[in-house]
Amino acid sequence: MSETAPSSLFINRELSWLDFDARVLHEAFDERNPLLERLKFLAIFSSNLDEFYMVRVAGLRRQVAAGVTSTPPDGLTPQEQLDAIAARVRALRARQRACLDELLPALAERGVRLLRMEELAAPEWAVVDEYFESRIFPVLTPLAVDPGHPFPYISNLSLSLAVTVRDPQNGTEHFARVKVPKGLVRFVPAGRPNHFVPVEQVIGANLAQLFPGMDVVGWYAFRVTRYSDIDLAHVEQPEDLLATIEEQVFRRRFAEVVRLEVQDGMPSNVRDLLLQELRDEGGEDGFEMPLAERDVDVVSGLLDLGDLLSLSALDVPELRDPPFQAVTPPELRDGGRSIFDVIRERDILVHHPFDSFHTSVERFLETAARDEHVLAIKMTLYRTSGDTAIVRALTEAAQRGKEVAVLVELKARGDEVNNITWARTLESFGIHVVYGAPHLKTHAKTALVVRREPDGIRRYVHIGTGNYNSKTARLYTDLGIFTCSPSVGADVSDLFNLLTGFSRQELYRKLLVAPADLRGKVVGLIDREAEHARAGRPSRIVAKMNALVDSDVIEALYRASQAGAEIDLVVRGICCLRPGVEGVSDRIRVTSIIGRFLEHSRIWYFENGGDGEYYLGSADWMPRNFDRRVEVVAPVEDPTHHARLRALLAVCLSDNRQAWVLGPDGTWRQRSPDGGRERATHRVLLRDSWGLARDSSGAYPAPGLAEPALGD
């Protein structure tokens, strides 16, 4: 490979993101999924698209406005990317609408109905009318727009009604905006089980009560999307990071609009008014690109389909996936034994949501809080689920006089306000709360317990791939390892000293840490496989992650493929590598698993000439993870756990139901059983927690990894 690979060998990051969204949308069409699960996938697709516009499209627009001409490795300029995105989103939006038009009648046949007001019978109308009077009307605020009333601020992703009223005395027409408050339920119960009316239609049918004495000419739903990232790149070293983030969150409310969604049928004069007013408001920092007609998305029917997630949770068992119960890992089933005694005997590997988060991670911290021999607890919180067992354990530990230090990442996208609240709550209990470096996100998932024991001080550590969040632990697949390895414990202590104090620690005994040298370590491990291949020794890479973007790593993988190493990548979302290119990536295969759970675990396997190594941690192979985040990746050294991870990777690679395969032309195709037995990763894993029989010690058989070309 040359120092810089040609752009044709890279797939554009933004278009790859949209390809992932397309795979999610496909699950909403797939009749093998229960109807409410299909509705869930449609809602997730819609929410993903919102985030894409708030962050990625908004960022590209800012690049265009700033005159940026540099390009990513794929060679597309910011404007070329925006043009390609617009075309792709139009096609996806059409499929989204077709999917909803398919799902709603199918759900109606099974007793779940989304009704229009005019479809209600008199008794149902009375129920909805009473609901409006008691729960909706009191919180509505009509806002007139005229010389005495300036155009109101429209908050990000809020649903609003553009209302035209006529004064019967003089015949003049006026414009007003009615916001649908976020606190209202989106789908109002319509008097019969599982029958609902969209709240905007309920409000629309009762507008006369908001504008008494006026004639309501018409109303039309609309919605705006604003730039919503937090950018500290232009902020000098802040004296108070918490206050700076709070200010950024507040200013974000007034960031530029990047998309206007309007209900089909909105008159041109109303749409033009909205467009002009939103264009005129400008942004706060001068980076805005003027809103144009091309940024208006005309929607037929419902806006904000992400709200369908609430309907997908209806208690209709025959329309949903079968329930499952997470199990306690075999090593932890003896409730009479201290978890610290178990960890001293051997490392414990857990896989959520199949292994219980409560009886493993939460138990670890609850036990630490109450154990009289525990001296200190330190941990990172990137996203937490609020008043959980973890937060309660931390506060209890502090009240018992233990040293408790928590790094709360205030810059976790979408959770900034939540994390600010919990940071203050933790501080109020006397916990030492730090916020990390202004220009780095602490994305690592680590917890450290320091305990006094008869033979001295011992450190107990948990390192995971997922957040300390009990809600997502039921929805995401994540791995975690508990260990009291002295070298790992010392590394984690050094890491917390870096996070809470002044340190330029760059060398670690066992851990791979970003931004110290994680990229260099990963590239080194890949290059080592290439050397093994050239020398005729066993050489294989199997890496599972959420995204693969970093060009240095991609070029290293190309070199390893050319050297003869076999490479399988399981990449849930964005993948900028182009596999199967003759002479470049012939030996690289890329698979994506889309199913019941969000694939979130990161596992790396390097065959290393027959002495295989496994790693797990918080980092994807992306520039942000290597350069702009604090990440921790740990080696998994227990051979028993090697067998378990090997089995898990084999399940992913043998999937012929949930798996998609990336071709050299950048297109994805879904595997199919082709008449054979269907093997769906999540169903296999649910069958027996991990999908394979474990003995009482938690041991697994050690099957070989699937053949490289499996399923192709």
Side-chain angles (χ1 to χ4, degrees):
M1 291 285 299
S2 62
E3 185 176 337
T4 302
S7 60
S8 60
L9 292 180
F10 295 91
I11 297 170
N12 179 261
R13 171 193 168 134
E14 318 308 342
L15 298 180
S16 184
W17 179 326
L18 291 176
D19 284 341
F20 166 66
D21 285 346
R23 297 195 295 279
V24 173
L25 183 58
H26 176 88
E27 290 297 309
F29 277 101
D30 197 322
E31 295 182 357
R32 293 174 293 183
N33 294 320
L35 278 172
L36 287 178
E37 303 300 334
R38 293 171 62 187
L39 195 69
K40 175 192 73 176
F41 282 113
L42 182 62
I44 292 171
F45 165 82
S46 303
S47 297
N48 285 354
L49 198 59
D50 286 343
E51 181 183 359
F52 181 73
Y53 268 86
M54 288 189 295
V55 179
R56 304 308 304 179
V57 171
L60 286 170
R61 289 168 57 89
R62 287 184 162 212
Q63 290 182 38
V64 171
V68 173
T69 57
S70 59
T71 64
D74 59 89
L76 292 180
T77 67
Q79 187 58 59
E80 288 172 336
Q81 293 180 69
L82 285 175
D83 293 341
I85 287 167
R88 186 78 171 103
V89 168
R90 277 196 299 271
L92 288 172
R93 280 288 205 180
R95 284 184 55 77
Q96 177 192 39
R97 174 51 48 193
C99 185
L100 186 65
D101 290 343
E102 179 180 313
L103 286 177
L104 291 183
L107 285 165
E109 290 180 3
R110 304 297 297 273
V112 177
R113 300 193 66 189
L114 201 54
L115 302 166
R116 297 188 300 273
M117 288 294 291
E118 56 267 27
E119 294 178 299
L120 298 179
E124 297 165 332
W125 188 287
V127 170
V128 172
D129 194 49
E130 192 280 330
Y131 190 100
F132 174 82
E133 292 286 349
S134 62
R135 305 192 188 190
I136 299 176
F137 180 75
V139 298
L140 297 180
T141 305
L143 297 172
V145 177
D146 58 29
H149 301 84
F151 190 81
Y153 163 74
I154 310 295
S155 56
N156 183 45
L157 300 183
S158 64
L159 193 61
S160 296
L161 304 187
V163 183
T164 303
V165 297
R166 180 184 296 115
D167 188 332
Q169 293 185 358
N170 55 28
T172 58
E173 290 192 357
H174 303 275
F175 174 86
R177 177 252 187 161
V178 177
K179 178 181 178 179
V180 180
K182 283 287 187 183
L184 296 179
V185 297
R186 176 67 190 281
F187 302 108
V188 175
R192 283 191 285 174
N194 299 327
H195 284 52
F196 304 91
V197 182
V199 68
E200 63 270 27
Q201 292 194 20
V202 177
I203 296 172
N206 289 277
L207 285 172
Q209 296 188 51
L210 291 173
F211 302 96
M214 305 292 282
D215 297 329
V216 177
V217 177
W219 65 268
Y220 313 92
F222 72 97
R223 184 171 180 255
V224 302
T225 307
R226 295 181 181 271
Y227 174 77
S228 296
D229 209 2
I230 292 228
D231 183 10
L232 296 179
H234 304 284
V235 178
E236 297 296 327
Q237 183 74 16
E239 294 183 5
D240 186 335
L241 183 59
L242 178 61
T244 300
I245 296 295
E246 284 187 304
E247 180 185 356
Q248 288 271 318
V249 170
F250 176 78
R251 291 183 62 190
R252 186 174 63 182
R253 298 174 56 217
F254 304 99
E256 72 271 18
V257 175
V258 298
R259 180 179 60 166
L260 169 62
E261 297 172 273
V262 301
Q263 183 179 334
D264 187 25
M266 177 182 285
S268 58
N269 65 311
V270 176
R271 186 168 75 171
D272 291 345
L273 171 66
L274 291 174
L275 189 59
Q276 186 59 49
E277 292 288 351
L278 293 170
R279 181 189 293 131
D280 289 347
E281 76 172 27
E284 282 287 298
D285 48 18
F287 285 108
E288 71 273 7
M289 180 178 174
L291 201 65
E293 184 65 35
R294 64 176 176 270
D295 304 312
V296 179
D297 189 357
V298 180
V299 179
S300 174
L302 287 174
L303 276 67
D304 192 5
L305 299 188
D307 284 343
L308 292 171
L309 198 62
S310 62
L311 290 186
S312 73
L314 288 172
D315 186 16
V316 188
E318 64 271 22
L319 301 183
R320 300 183 63 187
D321 285 329
F324 80 98
Q325 183 67 46
V327 300
T328 298
E331 303 92 328
L332 299 176
R333 289 177 185 169
D334 184 351
R337 296 192 67 200
S338 165
I339 191 171
F340 301 120
D341 293 340
V342 179
I343 297 172
R344 274 200 308 276
E345 290 181 358
R346 59 181 287 187
D347 294 351
I348 302 173
L349 185 68
V350 291
H351 189 199
H352 312 298
F354 316 102
D355 287 331
S356 169
F357 185 77
H358 173 65
T359 59
S360 57
V361 176
E362 291 181 342
R363 176 183 170 187
F364 176 67
L365 292 164
E366 288 172 338
T367 303
R370 295 164 189 160
D371 189 313
E372 62 180 352
H373 302 296
V374 168
L375 305 175
I377 302 173
K378 302 180 182 183
M379 70 181 302
T380 59
L381 285 179
Y382 189 73
R383 301 186 196 276
T384 189
S385 46
D387 186 19
T388 63
I390 287 177
V391 172
R392 292 193 296 272
L394 294 172
T395 57
E396 180 180 353
Q399 289 173 318
R400 288 174 177 264
K402 304 182 191 303
E403 182 78 9
V404 182
V406 180
L407 188 141
V408 178
E409 181 47 72
L410 301 179
K411 302 180 291 296
R413 183 183 299 151
D415 277 323
E416 298 93 345
V417 174
N418 183 52
N419 284 4
I420 288 170
T421 299
W422 283 108
R424 289 198 164 121
T425 298
L426 293 171
E427 285 178 326
S428 71
F429 282 90
I431 293 172
H432 300 294
V433 179
V434 295
Y435 312 121
H439 304 305
L440 287 175
K441 283 186 180 180
T442 301
H443 190 246
K445 326 297 183 184
T446 58
L448 170 67
V449 172
V450 182
R451 192 170 187 264
R452 181 188 292 116
E453 299 183 351
D455 55 350
I457 299 294
R458 182 173 276 109
R459 301 179 181 96
Y460 294 85
V461 173
H462 172 267
I463 295 174
T465 68
N467 298 306
Y468 292 109
N469 186 312
S470 59
K471 293 180 180 177
T472 56
R474 295 192 292 268
L475 304 172
Y476 296 4
T477 69
D478 273 306
L479 291 160
I481 190 162
F482 297 91
T483 183
C484 62
S485 159
S487 53
V488 171
D491 277 350
V492 174
S493 284
D494 287 344
L495 175 71
F496 276 106
N497 289 340
L498 180 150
L499 296 174
T500 62
F502 294 105
S503 168
R504 293 191 179 275
Q505 181 81 21
E506 293 187 355
L507 298 177
Y508 294 87
R509 303 158 187 81
K510 292 283 188 178
L511 300 183
L512 310 184
V513 177
D517 190 26
L518 182 56
R519 177 189 283 108
K521 296 290 188 183
V522 171
V523 170
L525 290 168
I526 296 170
D527 285 343
R528 187 184 65 181
E529 292 302 309
E531 286 298 319
H532 284 310
R534 280 188 284 267
R537 295 185 291 269
S539 175
R540 183 109 189 264
I541 298 170
V542 184
K544 182 177 182 296
M545 65 197 76
N546 298 339
L548 171 57
V549 176
D550 191 79
S551 58
D552 290 347
V553 171
I554 290 174
E555 292 194 31
L557 291 167
Y558 287 157
R559 291 194 298 270
S561 173
Q562 292 172 63
E566 295 293 344
I567 303 170
D568 279 284
L569 305 171
V570 182
V571 184
R572 182 195 77 210
I574 301 167
C575 181
C576 296
L577 177 146
R578 199 178 291 275
V581 177
E582 186 176 356
V584 178
S585 55
D586 313 68
R587 293 179 173 85
I588 304 178
R589 295 155 295 277
V590 179
T591 302
S592 174
I593 306 292
I594 307 293
R596 177 172 181 172
F597 305 111
L598 180 77
E599 284 295 326
H600 196 252
S601 57
R602 291 91 165 183
I603 317 167
W604 311 340
Y605 167 70
F606 300 93
E607 193 160 10
N608 190 29
D611 186 17
E613 295 179 352
Y614 289 84
Y615 298 84
L616 64 81
S618 57
D620 292 311
W621 289 352
M622 303 178 72
R624 71 183 188 188
N625 300 91
F626 293 141
D627 301 325
R628 302 188 298 278
R629 291 187 173 189
V630 177
E631 304 279 9
V632 168
V633 176
V636 180
E637 298 183 314
D638 187 328
T640 301
H641 300 329
H642 288 188
R644 295 169 72 176
L645 293 175
R646 194 173 181 86
L648 173 58
L649 292 173
V651 169
C652 293
L653 294 178
S654 65
D655 190 302
N656 61 9
R657 160 64 182 89
Q658 297 174 212
W660 294 73
V661 179
L662 179 60
D665 61 351
T667 60
W668 293 85
R669 67 171 181 84
Q670 191 176 43
R671 285 184 184 148
S672 63
D674 293 328
R677 185 170 62 90
E678 187 174 272
R679 298 187 301 275
T681 295
H682 297 158
R683 292 177 189 169
V684 170
L685 296 175
L686 282 169
R687 191 175 63 219
D688 184 62
S689 180
W690 280 51
L692 296 166
R694 281 188 283 182
D695 63 26
S696 59
S697 69
Y700 268 77
L705 284 174
E707 288 301 312
L710 179 68
D712 289 348

